[in-house]
Amino acid sequence: MRTQVPGALVGRRAEIRRLDELTAAAREGRGGVLVLRGQAGIGKSALLGHVRQAAAGFRILHASGAEFESELPYAALHQLCVPVLGRLGDLPAPHRDALEVAFGLRAGTPDLFRVGLATLELLSAAARESPLLCLVDDAHWLDSASGKALTFLARRVAAEPVAMVFAVRVPGGELDGLPGLDVGGLGDPEARELLTRESHAALDEQVRDQLVAEARGNPLALLELPRAGGFAPPGPASVPSGVERGFQARLPDLPAQARLLLTIASADPTGDPGLLWPAADRLGIDVPAASAAAAATGMVEFATRVRFCHPLARSAVYRAATAGQLRAAHGALAEVTDPAVDPDRRAWHRAQATAGPDEDVAAELERSAHRAQSRGGIAAAAAFAERSAALTLDPAKRVERTFAAVRAKLDSGSTDAAEDLLGLVDNSALDVRRQAEADLLRGQIAFVRHNDGSGPEFMLRAARRLAGADPAAARGYYLDALEMAHVVGRASGVLDDVLAALRTAPPSSGVDVLDALVLLETQGHRAAAPALRQALSHGDSPLWIQRPGFAVMIAGELWDPDLPLAITERLLKDGRETGSPLTLRLGLALAASGASMAGELGRAMAAIAEEEAIADAIGGPPMLYPRLHFAAMRGRRDEARQEFATATATASRSGAGQLLANVHWASAVLHNGLADYPAALAAARRGVDDGDLFLAGAALPELVEAAIRCGERETAVTALGSLTERAEAGGTPTGLGVAAYSRGLVTGVEEHYREAIEHLEHSPLSPYLARARLLYGEWLRRAGRRRDSRTQLRLAHDLLSTAGVEAFAQRAADELKATGETARRRSGPSHDQLTMQETHVARLVATGATSGEVAARLFLSPRTVDAHLRNIFRKLGITSRRQLRDQPGIGA
């Protein structure tokens, strides 16, 4: 444990009260988390010391981030869990294995999901004996993998007797979404009190005021600034740098060997005396004398671990050392680090000890990068790869390693760093393939960066470079550009460029979706549909397997709901088998959207809840478009508008035009359901004008309906023509049925409504069948055929209300009332009373899943699942798991 800063609890009553409330709740089985945020020296460590002393009866686990270890995967998580690793045997084998792999106790690639869940189970098992207090200091230096796992854990301890407290200097990173408390500076009265209590010298009032002014309320600064030599007037320099100067003021009078010993200690984040003393011995240091002099400064403690009194003390020592001293320290540490036990840390020390290019060290770093990536340490892989490139003399190898570092930086989310690295490459010295690879990386950087739509243009440039040398690779890049353009919602200009390039490009050797898209653009849906269908499913590795998201958009263009179902099933199967979060999340998002379109809103809620659980587990935002589709179909105005606002704001920040197109389609559906036709017309127009694959076509029937109701017949006729072309080209019952009822709206011909119903009875999208009956019933009522209209309206109302499609169901009820009949009240689906996560828990339990199985599926603890079940039983008025099977929308 770091030495507590004396007196730092002066003026901290509010912070102490929050911490005491946290531990009191954990004693009663209500776990929680608090992130203390504040600048270095502000007193966060002292508050951790207080909660440690006050937590009587708790078992205390401690971890601390280290500035020089922030890239090593799972280092901090391992440190936290070491005291309870004796309980690994209590875990199921897959979870035990996951932690052993993450902690380097066995070979393999860690699964972030299993690591997080296994840690939760491990701590839950330990908390059965006594409540746990987990203290994580310097959390801003946590390695990325540990940060994700600990955030995952913090969000799931609510039903466990576990309190977690993090200390972090600045906002940002994995912990941002957790409950936090800003630890500010002391007021002047408290600062003067601290100086009076802790200063060993008499201070006159003028000197005290100067210290208070310069320290800006920072307790550590109040104690360390007097050591900095004089009292410089407050300036723009930050308080932490002033505190570092205070620590550095202790160094000049030290013997040279004591300073070198401190430098070695500052360069080794492990604090392992088994490394420090041998390294010091290799540099000829008189260890007893040097260690005694260094310890006398109060900056460091040499015991079973080597501990600096504060991170700023460590950084002050490290930054005060000369380049030669640092190289010597790292070189000695590299020599004494076991290459078999800790090859990556040894490679890192060797790299820091090297002044110029060194192929041996660069190759070792490259191997470390591969090992780090296989263990989930993306940030470590990026750091190793970058240093490997810097130490490489051979130009071709340096470019190859730089590109690898750029890809690793991108994977770790360091977009600016990736761009800076790529900028170091001299493009003019590259061959054509390397130039194309550089453009591809620039495109990926642009795609990730918010509000930068230049990504497709870089992809096109890469494709043009390769058109002569490698036509097959060039066509792949063209497709990358198109796919990216559709995601960002800027496809039209890119498609024109692709078409222009393909006119002079060699023809494809087989079925090619690019050729099909060219046909779609130049000759329309009737000409392109056969080629699109063939491209979707042709060959051993068809488009729907290679690019499932893009294939779903093309299937939607053909009004084909069946292929997305097949794609969804494959993605879910592959995602669950491989543990790939990207694959599983895409499959769940497609499952949720497909279920919403099919009127199976309980299934949609369950899929959304699971996708969000995975997103939370890996520390990413949930996918928004499934929630848009769900909100549009359910038809609750306020709920939907909130979802639309969230998605619109996200699209504006990220430049995700396709997300905005989803908002326009969803808004058109919602407002047609609410009979707010002017709003539906405006949204549908925007959706059609966006021109996105699938969504523009899906908005056409909404545009026809809204335009007819608003008296804009010409708009409706034009939209109907485009819809009819798409539906007839696709030839599916869904497309033909939707086009038929849209035609009935324009023509007023009864047969068109009958034709729509006949087609849609063979479609899996039952809400469209219900809407066809609703429109037919409305037409019959207006024609004076009330008895016939009631039959259609009853059928529509039954379908819609049973599914929970509330806005359209209310429209049907209002129409029935206009015929003189009141719609029968139907109890809504049981999931209407539950949250999305409760719905998913209920559906899983209804299939016979145990609490443990549900917990593993949703990355919760079994105790949390049981808490959800208690809420579910209360809301539904039932008392047993068996009764869930009989609940509408939940059980079979």
Side-chain angles (χ1 to χ4, degrees):
M1 175 184 171
R2 185 191 304 157
T3 304
Q4 183 174 319
V5 180
L9 292 177
V10 170
R12 297 302 185 196
R13 289 191 182 89
E15 292 87 345
I16 289 171
R17 183 172 61 252
R18 283 286 300 274
L19 291 167
D20 289 348
E21 289 169 353
L22 181 73
T23 53
R27 276 195 184 91
E28 298 173 1
R30 294 179 285 111
V33 58
L34 188 65
V35 180
L36 302 175
R37 298 185 177 94
Q39 65 180 215
I42 205 68
K44 304 183 299 296
S45 297
L47 289 168
L48 293 185
H50 162 78
V51 73
R52 172 190 286 271
Q53 292 173 4
F58 278 74
R59 183 170 191 177
I60 298 172
L61 307 181
H62 181 266
S64 180
E67 183 178 10
F68 309 113
E69 203 169 45
S70 57
E71 290 94 5
L72 296 178
Y74 295 109
L77 185 69
H78 187 203
Q79 185 184 358
L80 185 80
C81 293
V82 162
V84 293
L85 286 182
R87 286 192 167 273
L88 273 179
D90 297 344
L91 305 187
H95 295 156
R96 182 178 63 250
D97 295 347
L99 284 182
E100 288 179 347
V101 169
F103 297 158
L105 304 176
R106 69 163 62 196
T109 301
D111 180 330
L112 178 61
F113 299 158
R114 287 200 176 104
V115 169
L117 190 55
T119 306
L120 179 61
E121 287 190 50
L122 182 66
L123 298 193
S124 297
R128 294 189 194 112
E129 296 176 355
S130 61
L132 291 185
L133 174 62
C134 301
L135 302 177
V136 183
D137 207 351
D138 297 325
H140 45 280
W141 284 330
L142 288 175
D143 62 275
S144 177
S146 291
K148 285 182 170 63
L150 289 169
T151 302
F152 171 96
L153 187 65
R155 288 174 174 155
R156 287 162 177 80
V157 296
E160 308 291 335
V162 177
M164 302 185 72
V165 185
F166 296 85
V168 62
R169 284 191 194 171
V170 291
E174 309 292 346
L175 306 178
D176 260 5
L178 300 178
L181 179 64
D182 291 331
V183 182
L186 299 178
D188 284 359
E190 290 83 4
R192 289 189 178 89
E193 179 186 346
L194 178 59
L195 272 175
T196 301
R197 285 176 46 185
E198 300 298 331
S199 178
H200 299 292
L203 297 174
D204 63 39
E205 194 67 25
Q206 188 175 6
V207 172
R208 184 181 292 110
D209 288 347
Q210 176 70 9
L211 282 172
V212 168
E214 186 172 353
R216 300 180 181 94
N218 186 293
L220 183 60
L222 284 164
L223 302 176
E224 292 297 330
L225 284 175
R227 303 173 186 263
F231 307 107
S238 67
V239 168
S241 64
V243 175
E244 282 195 16
R245 288 196 302 272
F247 285 123
Q248 288 174 347
R250 308 184 194 186
L251 301 177
D253 295 335
L254 282 176
Q257 288 200 344
R259 287 192 64 173
L260 185 55
L261 180 66
L262 279 174
T263 300
I264 300 170
S266 73
D268 171 36
T270 68
D272 183 358
L275 294 176
L276 177 63
W277 305 135
D281 185 61
R282 284 178 179 267
L283 293 178
I285 294 174
D286 180 350
V287 170
S291 61
T297 66
M299 295 170 64
V300 69
E301 176 190 3
F302 300 110
T304 55
R305 308 296 294 177
V306 179
R307 292 183 174 89
F308 281 84
C309 67
H310 194 277
L312 289 178
R314 178 192 293 275
S315 61
V317 170
Y318 193 84
R319 292 187 176 102
T322 66
Q325 289 169 334
L326 290 175
R327 285 196 297 272
H330 282 291
L333 286 167
E335 290 178 17
V336 299
T337 299
D338 189 332
V341 175
D342 207 347
D344 298 332
R345 190 172 279 109
R346 176 179 181 273
W348 187 249
H349 282 309
R350 287 191 70 196
Q352 301 306 112
T354 304
D358 187 317
E359 176 56 29
D360 182 51
V361 176
E364 188 174 349
L365 286 168
E366 188 174 36
R367 292 190 291 273
S368 290
H370 292 315
R371 279 194 297 270
Q373 198 149 29
S374 72
R375 291 187 58 213
I378 299 173
F384 287 133
E386 180 179 6
R387 185 64 175 156
S388 173
L391 296 180
T392 302
L393 185 60
D394 179 78
K397 279 187 177 179
R398 186 166 62 251
V399 168
E400 180 182 346
R401 287 168 175 167
T402 299
F403 284 173
V406 170
R407 285 189 289 270
K409 292 286 186 185
L410 267 176
D411 289 342
S412 69
S414 302
T415 311
D416 291 340
E419 185 176 40
D420 291 343
L421 266 178
L422 193 57
L424 299 176
V425 176
D426 180 5
N427 219 46
S428 64
L430 304 180
D431 61 25
V432 171
R433 290 183 183 276
R434 289 298 192 195
Q435 287 178 343
E437 188 175 355
D439 284 332
L440 178 67
L441 289 169
R442 290 187 183 96
Q444 291 170 343
I445 290 169
F447 180 63
V448 172
R449 175 168 287 129
H450 293 335
N451 297 317
D452 188 341
S454 63
E457 295 299 330
F458 284 115
M459 297 291 189
L460 289 176
R461 187 191 300 175
R464 293 188 191 104
R465 292 187 193 279
L466 283 180
D470 191 342
R475 293 181 79 86
Y477 283 5
Y478 282 128
L479 189 52
D480 287 337
L482 272 181
E483 187 172 17
M484 184 184 294
H486 278 290
V487 170
V488 300
R490 300 183 177 93
S492 56
V494 176
L495 183 56
D496 291 339
D497 290 342
V498 171
L499 292 175
L502 290 177
R503 290 189 188 103
T504 58
S508 59
S509 57
V511 177
D512 191 320
V513 69
L514 284 174
D515 294 332
L517 290 170
V518 169
L519 278 176
L520 180 65
E521 183 71 10
T522 57
Q523 299 182 40
H525 286 75
R526 288 190 176 90
L532 286 171
R533 276 194 293 269
Q534 192 175 10
L536 282 171
S537 57
H538 180 78
D540 296 331
S541 184
L543 185 74
W544 72 272
I545 292 177
Q546 295 176 8
R547 301 172 186 264
F550 198 48
V552 166
M553 289 193 284
I554 293 175
E557 196 73 7
L558 299 172
W559 279 94
D560 177 4
D562 294 323
L563 181 60
L565 288 176
I567 292 174
T568 299
E569 289 175 6
R570 182 184 177 92
L571 288 171
L572 291 175
K573 180 175 180 292
D574 289 351
R576 297 200 194 285
E577 288 178 353
T578 64
S580 164
L582 179 62
T583 302
L584 189 51
R585 289 182 65 197
L586 179 57
L588 288 165
L590 291 175
S593 292
S596 292
M597 299 289 284
E600 298 178 22
L601 298 189
R603 188 161 64 89
M605 291 174 74
I608 289 170
E610 188 170 353
E611 190 279 325
E612 291 181 347
I614 297 171
D616 184 60
I618 63 175
M623 294 187 181
L624 295 180
Y625 69 85
R627 295 188 72 103
L628 295 175
H629 299 175
F630 174 83
M633 297 306 292
R634 182 143 77 168
R636 296 179 181 176
R637 187 191 301 268
D638 292 343
E639 173 187 284
R641 286 181 171 173
Q642 184 176 349
E643 297 289 352
F644 298 167
T646 299
T648 300
T650 301
S652 299
R653 289 194 304 270
S654 65
Q658 191 191 52
L659 182 58
L660 204 56
N662 274 275
V663 172
H664 296 153
W665 170 82
S667 181
V669 172
L670 171 74
H671 289 104
N672 270 333
L674 295 168
D676 184 353
Y677 299 114
L681 177 62
R685 272 191 171 129
R686 288 193 293 269
V688 171
D689 291 344
D690 286 338
D692 286 276
L693 281 175
F694 171 40
L695 289 166
L700 285 169
E702 310 305 329
L703 181 57
V704 172
E705 183 170 357
I708 285 294
R709 300 305 191 208
C710 291
E712 295 198 18
R713 181 175 177 79
E714 186 176 339
T715 298
V717 169
T718 301
L720 176 62
S722 181
L723 175 60
T724 300
E725 180 190 357
R726 294 164 186 257
E728 291 179 350
T732 67
T734 303
L736 293 172
V738 170
Y741 77 58
S742 299
R743 193 175 307 113
L745 281 165
V746 172
T747 64
V749 174
E750 180 176 7
E751 185 56 33
H752 294 155
Y753 292 114
R754 291 181 175 275
E755 179 188 347
I757 292 168
E758 183 178 344
H759 281 304
L760 289 168
E761 283 178 334
H762 301 286
S763 167
L765 308 187
S766 62
Y768 282 103
L769 170 61
R771 289 180 66 178
R773 292 193 181 279
L774 171 59
L775 292 170
Y776 185 25
E778 290 173 340
W779 182 89
L780 288 167
R781 185 181 70 79
R782 288 172 176 78
R785 295 164 56 184
R786 291 194 172 193
R787 180 176 298 175
D788 293 338
S789 73
R790 287 171 185 155
T791 300
Q792 295 300 325
L793 293 171
R794 278 192 220 107
L795 289 169
H797 183 263
D798 286 350
L799 277 171
L800 294 164
S801 58
T802 300
V805 182
E806 296 175 12
F808 283 104
Q810 186 58 50
R811 244 181 77 182
D814 292 343
E815 285 292 322
L816 267 175
K817 187 175 181 180
T819 69
E821 180 177 315
T822 301
R824 286 181 300 170
R825 287 187 176 274
R826 302 179 61 90
S827 58
S830 298
H831 58 68
D832 279 354
Q833 305 167 58
L834 307 178
T835 66
M836 287 192 176
Q837 192 168 76
E838 287 170 349
T839 296
H840 198 13
V841 169
R843 289 174 67 90
L844 290 173
V845 170
T847 67
T850 65
S851 291
E853 290 166 342
V854 176
R857 184 79 167 259
L858 285 177
F859 312 107
L860 303 170
S861 71
R863 196 177 309 193
T864 301
V865 172
D866 290 339
H868 279 311
L869 277 174
R870 289 192 292 272
N871 287 334
I872 291 165
F873 291 169
R874 176 179 53 80
K875 290 179 179 181
L876 300 184
I878 61 177
T879 57
S880 73
R881 293 169 177 248
R882 187 180 304 169
Q883 290 172 286
L884 282 172
R885 301 173 190 172
D886 301 323
Q887 298 297 307
I890 291 177

